[in-house]
Each structure stands twice: as C-alpha cells, then as structure tokens.
Amino acid sequence: MSNKPGVAKTLELLDSLKSAVREFAAKEDKLEQEFRARMSKERRFHDTAIEDHTNRLAAETSEAEAAFQTAKEAAVARFGALKSRISEARTRSKEQALEKIDGRVGQRKYELQKLMLQAERTREAGLANTAAAFEEFKISVTHENEALVVLEKTAHSSFRGYGKFVRLLSGVNEAAMPA
C-alpha cells in the first residue's frame, strides 16, 4: 500500500483545509474588526485625552496669565505708590532744607545787622571821643605854646648880656619851628 491518500481522502482533506482557511479568514476578519474597533476606541480615548489635556493646559495658561497680569498690575501700583511717596518725601525734604537754610541765613543776617549797628555806634562814639581828645590836645598845645613863649621871653631876657648866645638860640629856635 502506498502512503498517498486517495482522491476521496484528498478531497476530504481539501474540504477540511478549505473550511479551516474559511474559519481562519472569518477569525481574521473578526479579529480585524475587533482590532479596528479597539483602535477606534483607543484613538477616540487618545483624542479625548489630548483634547482634555489641551483644554486643561489652556485653562491653566489662562489662569497663569491672569495671575501674572494681576501680579503685574499690583507691582505697577506698588511702584507708582512708592514713586509718589518718594517724590513727596523729596519735596518735603527739599522744603525743610530750604527752611533750615532760610533760618540760618536770617539768623546770620540778624547777627551781622546787630554787629553793624554796634560798629556804627562804636564808630560814632570813637569819632566823638577823638574829636574831644583833639580839642583837648589843641587846647593843651595852645597852653604849652603860650608857656613856651613865656619861657623863651624869660630865657632871652635872662641871657641878654650874651648876644652871641642869644643869636645862636634864635637861629636854632627858628630852624626847629615848623611852618
């Protein structure tokens, strides 16, 4: 006997192969449909997750931008308030410094005016004292000149007998007298 199957057996085997191929094709189609359905479901899930993530990121970005704008506006407001306070403090400080300077200048002017008035009074008193001293000196010089004239006359009369000596005294006396 040969190992080769007969026609009936071959047809039977072919039929069973054909039915096996159909089963595999049906299973493949079924698996293909399940795979497509699963892929479709996964794609929708993935798309939904991406959309949710994108929406969440957009919302978070929007919130972060709003928080940034709020913080920026608050910082600008604080800066404006600080700048205003600094400007006011500078103005007040400048005014206080000017008032202090004016006070010092006024005080110094007062002191100088007081010294000037005192100097004028002292000058006037000094001039009056000097004039009085000058008048006393003139009177004293006049008295001394009168006494000198008397003494000269007395000396001339005492040395009358010594003519040469009297002439000598007269020459010295006239040379020593200022004009």
Side-chain angles (χ1 to χ4, degrees):
M1 222 188 198
S2 91
N3 281 343
K4 292 183 183 180
V7 173
K9 184 83 168 152
T10 305
L11 284 177
E12 189 181 312
L13 284 172
L14 279 175
D15 278 337
S16 87
L17 179 63
K18 196 178 182 184
S19 72
V21 168
R22 279 187 193 144
E23 282 179 28
F24 280 121
K27 280 185 181 182
E28 180 188 10
D29 286 341
K30 185 177 178 187
L31 287 174
E32 184 73 29
Q33 284 177 354
E34 286 176 10
F35 176 73
R36 282 188 190 139
R38 209 183 270 168
M39 283 300 289
S40 177
K41 183 178 176 184
E42 287 295 323
R43 188 169 285 125
R44 281 192 306 266
F45 177 74
H46 182 263
D47 290 344
T48 304
I50 286 176
E51 188 176 329
D52 288 345
H53 186 66
T54 303
N55 290 339
R56 190 167 24 101
L57 284 177
E60 288 176 3
T61 303
S62 176
E63 288 174 11
E65 285 181 9
F68 171 74
Q69 286 299 326
T70 304
K72 182 179 175 182
E73 289 171 3
V76 167
R78 281 192 311 269
F79 173 75
L82 183 61
K83 185 177 179 182
S84 174
R85 283 196 339 245
I86 288 172
S87 177
E88 288 174 15
R90 181 181 176 273
T91 303
R92 279 183 289 195
S93 174
K94 188 176 178 182
E95 288 172 358
Q96 286 175 353
L98 288 175
E99 287 175 7
K100 195 183 265 187
I101 289 170
D102 286 344
R104 287 180 182 170
V105 167
Q107 188 178 16
R108 186 66 182 152
K109 279 182 183 178
Y110 172 74
E111 290 173 6
L112 290 174
Q113 287 174 347
K114 194 166 94 174
L115 287 173
M116 189 173 80
L117 287 174
Q118 184 63 38
E120 285 179 12
R121 287 185 202 130
T122 305
R123 181 179 154 265
E124 289 172 4
L127 284 175
N129 289 339
T130 303
F134 181 67
E135 288 301 317
E136 287 178 20
F137 177 73
K138 279 178 30 179
I139 292 171
S140 172
V141 165
T142 305
H143 290 316
E144 292 298 322
N145 275 340
E146 288 173 0
L148 182 63
V149 168
V150 171
L151 285 175
E152 282 179 354
K153 284 182 182 177
T154 306
H156 276 300
S157 66
S158 297
F159 291 111
R160 241 187 230 158
Y162 304 96
K164 193 175 178 183
F165 185 68
V166 169
R167 277 192 301 266
L168 188 69
L169 280 178
S170 295
V172 170
N173 198 12
E174 287 175 8
M177 291 281 252

